Amino acid sequence: MTPNHKKHLMLLGIALLSSASAVKIGALIPLTGASSVSGQAQKNGLMLALDEINKAGGVLGQPLELVIEDDQSNPAKAVPAFTKMVTVDKIEFMVGGLGSSTTLAITGPAKQYNTFMAWSGAASPLVEDAMKDYPYFFHYHPWAYYNFEAILGFFKNLKGNKKAKNIAIAYEDGPFGSTGIQDTVNAFKKAGFNVVLTEAFKAGSGNFAPLVNKAKTQKVDIFYWVGYDVDALPLMQQIKESGLDVGIVYGAPPSWPVNFEKNKLAQGVASLTMWTPELPSTASKNFVKAYKAKYGNITDEYFAPLAYLNLKTLAEAINKAGSLNKDKVAEVMAKSTFDTPLGKLNFSPSQKIKYQGFKGSNWVTFQFRDEKRIPVFPLKVAKKTVLYPMP
């Protein structure tokens, strides 16, 4: 046997040993389909976290292996992808998740296979209801009712300062957009708003003309829509082409299309985020620095730091537990406070589940202005006053 052959066999042996002893965590995220912008942001955040975890010694002294599957933003694709990870890849701990419909589809299999779910996405209370009694469900993203509290606060400010009282609502017809829509209408009315239109649309359809034409028959101060990034450009295009006279358009997608801020259609559109790269905390600054070093730029999508902290906190909890025993890991997660790019994270009960992470206190309303996202509310973090009416 030549020296080269010996070297090759030695490296092969090390690789096989490393692979065999790695701790596996799965991530089910939308790399394609309607939520792919958010999914790609998640992937970047996860890969950055994976690098840092393994450089710091891995998990339980072993390398961490991250198995990523694409749910294609489609519940029918999410279930077999999830089942493959838990049955073929033998994964017992999962991170990621984004869409409410895809998450809702796997709630049954997750409970069937007793999978530990450290879940960074899904805002629909339907998911919350489905997982209310499950002991291994740790939910990071705020539920929709927490998001709505932040949005309502901004709208009340517009009503008080800009006399904006008439709201048109457009929502995608899946669990993310449609769950609790009547409660949303009731809450607006209770706060003194006139809801002049409530209309569903199919995410990704691209046809908003009938909806926008109905809005034109009303006086609309605020056009509020709930959907996905794939809807943003066709909706704004058709609003502009129709000549709809509106004070402000407020969108609530998980992410916005890549370079949306550079499109003139974006000027003045408002939305919600849990994070901006300008946050002054040390954890956020460290994330920005590491992200730039790995990718050569920085993202505005909060799902990147959310996915990053999602994997980091689960790995930290497993290490603290000293075991892959799910009860022990859950006990550590429940008792810990994590310092993250999005702020302090700990888990406490929501309306229905036992372990809810972020609850919406760090939501910020921003407005697309001059190719940037400018925080405009709450006033204590605003960089500029809101542009109303929008151009």
Side-chain angles (χ1 to χ4, degrees):
M1 183 177 295
T2 67
N4 282 340
H5 282 138
K6 289 182 178 177
K7 182 178 180 182
H8 176 74
L9 289 175
M10 182 177 71
L11 291 173
L12 180 62
I14 292 172
L16 289 172
L17 179 63
S18 175
S19 175
S21 60
V23 173
K24 286 185 181 179
I25 290 178
L28 185 64
I29 54 178
L31 297 175
T32 56
S35 302
S36 59
V37 173
S38 301
Q40 293 293 339
Q42 285 182 299
K43 183 181 178 182
N44 284 353
L46 289 169
M47 297 311 293
L48 177 58
L50 181 66
D51 286 352
E52 294 184 2
I53 291 165
N54 280 332
K55 284 179 182 175
V59 173
L60 302 178
Q62 299 172 347
L64 175 61
E65 179 183 346
L66 184 65
V67 179
I68 296 178
E69 289 287 342
D70 178 13
D71 68 22
Q72 302 180 46
S73 311
N74 184 341
K77 302 294 183 182
V79 173
F82 179 88
T83 305
K84 178 256 183 189
M85 281 196 283
V86 296
T87 59
V88 177
D89 299 321
K90 306 296 182 185
I91 288 171
E92 298 192 39
F93 289 81
M94 295 279 291
V95 295
L98 188 133
S100 293
S101 58
T102 49
T103 301
L104 191 61
I106 63 168
T107 54
K111 289 189 280 189
Q112 177 186 349
Y113 292 106
N114 215 29
T115 308
F116 194 104
M117 304 284 283
W119 215 239
S120 62
S124 171
L126 290 178
V127 176
E128 183 185 28
D129 191 54
M131 301 300 273
K132 62 183 178 183
D133 297 323
Y134 191 58
Y136 304 133
F137 185 63
F138 286 75
H139 187 244
Y140 289 60
H141 194 284
W143 296 114
Y145 48 81
Y146 294 125
N147 308 353
F148 182 72
E149 288 176 9
I151 293 169
L152 184 59
F154 175 62
F155 287 4
K156 285 179 177 178
N157 182 267
L158 287 180
K159 182 161 70 75
N161 294 312
K162 306 294 183 181
K163 311 302 180 189
K165 290 190 64 175
N166 298 322
I167 299 178
I169 303 172
Y171 61 95
E172 67 94 26
D173 61 1
F176 173 55
S178 63
T179 305
I181 191 64
Q182 191 54 49
D183 291 338
T184 297
V185 171
N186 293 340
F188 280 141
K189 289 180 177 178
K190 185 178 180 182
F193 292 96
N194 304 316
V195 178
V196 298
L197 176 75
T198 306
E199 194 81 7
F201 64 85
K202 188 170 183 57
S205 67
N207 181 17
F208 296 97
L211 185 159
V212 173
N213 287 333
K214 284 185 181 178
K216 283 189 69 177
T217 66
Q218 306 290 331
K219 182 183 184 307
V220 179
D221 299 316
I222 301 170
F223 189 101
Y224 171 55
W225 69 273
V226 183
Y228 292 99
D229 54 86
V230 70
D231 304 311
L233 280 172
L235 175 59
M236 287 308 303
Q237 182 78 36
Q238 288 164 53
I239 285 177
K240 291 292 184 181
E241 288 177 353
S242 73
L244 176 66
D245 184 15
V246 59
I248 197 166
V249 175
Y250 195 104
S255 296
W256 290 88
V258 175
N259 291 326
F260 181 72
E261 62 272 15
K262 298 184 186 303
N263 194 310
K264 63 182 180 182
L265 293 171
Q267 183 72 358
V269 173
S271 187
L272 207 59
T273 185
M274 293 177 70
W275 174 84
T276 69
E278 294 78 23
L279 280 180
S281 71
T282 300
S284 180
K285 287 181 177 179
N286 289 341
F287 171 79
V288 170
K289 183 179 179 181
Y291 193 98
K292 285 181 176 176
K294 183 173 177 63
Y295 299 110
N297 55 27
I298 189 59
T299 178
D300 286 315
E301 301 299 341
Y302 71 85
F303 267 101
L306 184 58
Y308 168 86
L309 71 90
N310 182 203
L311 184 58
K312 293 268 287 191
T313 52
L314 177 58
E316 183 178 332
I318 293 173
N319 278 333
K320 284 183 178 177
S323 163
L324 291 172
N325 180 286
K326 293 171 191 170
D327 291 322
K328 291 182 178 178
V329 175
E331 184 179 355
V332 171
M333 290 275 280
K335 291 180 178 178
S336 296
T337 296
F338 302 95
D339 190 16
T340 82
L342 272 62
K344 300 291 184 185
L345 170 68
N346 53 50
F347 293 92
S348 61
S350 65
Q351 289 184 1
K352 293 184 178 177
I353 64 167
K354 192 173 181 181
Y355 304 120
Q356 172 61 36
F358 297 110
K359 294 184 176 178
S361 61
N362 51 350
W363 279 126
V364 172
T365 287
F366 67 88
Q367 199 170 24
F368 289 104
R369 306 258 286 268
D370 301 326
E371 301 187 0
K372 295 180 180 177
R373 302 182 186 197
I374 307 296
V376 295
F377 193 83
L379 300 179
K380 63 183 180 182
V381 300
K383 299 297 183 184
K384 290 186 178 180
T385 56
V386 63
L387 189 62
Y388 185 97
M390 61 186 283

